[in-house]
Amino acid sequence: MKVIIARTLPAAGLDKLKARFDVACGGLPLDQGWLLRHARGASAIVADPTVPIGGDLLDLAGDSLRVVSNFAVGFDNIDVDAVRERGLRATNTPDVLTNATAELAVALMLAAGRRIVETDQIFRRGDWAGWEPEQFLGHELAGATVGLVGFGRIGQRVAELLSGFRARIVFADAHPMDEAAARHGAQRMDLAELLAASDYVSLHVNLTPQTRHMIDAAALARCKPGAILVNTCRGGVVDTAALVHALRDGPLAGAGLDVYEHEPAVPQDLAALPNTVLVPHIGSATRTTRDAMAELCADNVIAVLDGGEPLTPVV
Ligand code: GLV
């Protein structure tokens, strides 16, 4: 059976697939032409957040195709309706990247709140004239209200990590999440309430038609003056133009971002602002986590091609 890897996969998963199947990798960067040429006759396609998977590609693969295995927890790059309509399976890599992503969210809260990047740059430029009593004042997590938009695995792990910081946790989620709320001492609110109450707002939702631009100009206008926005989920959840406005003219004091609307383009308006911390989609980028993702991605392919249920299905 033929397994097509649209770009590359860490050896922890690749070697498992090579031991069982005829594997071809497109390599980096993504070459759509290669993918279209090689998809025909594939039993599985391994994709990632940068690889759009639509009905056309599934049809091109033909009757042999069984599964699209995404090397990511997010699956907004996959047309899940097209997968479902064709009776195929699609899988993602949840759980294994929960901690790495949550740790990055906390890192971005601290970096934006304590102006780590801004002051690092001032210092490196030689523009620091010495300690002053009211210089570079930032925000502490202790005593702050942290609003988690989305209280799934990653949102809950952020709450757990923050317990040592003595922050108050509130969350907005489509589901009541009563048990998790009790476990983390977190209070559920609707999004508008959460935005008005939070000193830090951290986003942990899937990108769907419902969540696209969930944080738009109206939502940002509800934020507390001096609030900090952190986004480690998907860039499309935030309206970038509205965010730039809110960072320039208020109410936001800062933002820590890992994801962007038009990756890999660097949003110049955000880059020009000193109150942003911008990192290039590194939420799950640790050796341990990427290896675990690769293994799960491969195990999903193997499970389906062996005729079983995928371990972590999205369809
Ligand atoms: C990465 O962006 C992921 O969804 O895992």
Side-chain angles (χ1 to χ4, degrees), residues 129-158:
W131 190 90
E132 290 176 17
E134 293 184 279
Q135 185 184 47
F136 305 139
L137 303 183
H139 302 261
E140 290 179 43
L141 277 166
T145 297
V146 177
L148 302 171
V149 180
F151 204 49
R153 290 172 284 248
I154 297 172
Q156 288 179 40
R157 178 67 182 141
V158 172

Side-chain angles (χ1 to χ4, degrees), residues 213-239:
H213 283 195
M214 173 189 227
I215 305 299
D216 59 6
L220 289 163
R222 291 198 176 95
C223 286
K224 248 175 138 168
I228 286 166
L229 179 76
V230 167
N231 189 5
T232 52
C233 62
R234 283 292 182 269
V237 174
V238 179
D239 176 341

Side-chain angles (χ1 to χ4, degrees), residues 49 70-76 93 97 101 232-234 258-259 263 281 283-284 290 293:
N70 217 31
F71 179 68
V73 67
F75 49 89
D76 49 287
T93 60
L97 47 58
T101 309
T232 52
C233 62
R234 283 292 182 269
D258 182 41
V259 287
E263 295 179 12
H281 205 146
S284 63
R290 287 282 164 86
M293 290 167 65

Side-chain angles (χ1 to χ4, degrees), residues 142-224:
T145 297
V146 177
L148 302 171
V149 180
F151 204 49
R153 290 172 284 248
I154 297 172
Q156 288 179 40
R157 178 67 182 141
V158 172
E160 191 175 33
L161 291 173
L162 290 180
S163 61
F165 285 92
R166 300 198 305 271
R168 170 185 175 229
I169 307 295
V170 301
F171 71 94
D173 197 286
H175 306 285
M177 311 299 288
D178 290 336
E179 190 268 328
R183 188 153 24 93
H184 297 288
Q187 183 188 347
R188 185 171 179 225
M189 294 182 165
D190 66 29
L191 180 63
E193 262 184 294
L194 176 146
L195 295 172
S198 299
D199 301 292
Y200 293 78
V201 175
S202 189
L203 308 177
H204 303 286
V205 291
N206 283 327
L207 177 60
T208 64
Q210 291 71 40
T211 62
R212 184 172 292 281
H213 283 195
M214 173 189 227
I215 305 299
D216 59 6
L220 289 163
R222 291 198 176 95
C223 286
K224 248 175 138 168

Side-chain angles (χ1 to χ4, degrees), residues 13 16-17 69 294-304 309-311:
K16 277 190 154 187
L17 292 175
S69 178
E295 273 206 69
L296 179 53
C297 184
D299 287 344
N300 273 314
V301 170
I302 292 166
V304 176
E309 269 298 297
L311 281 73

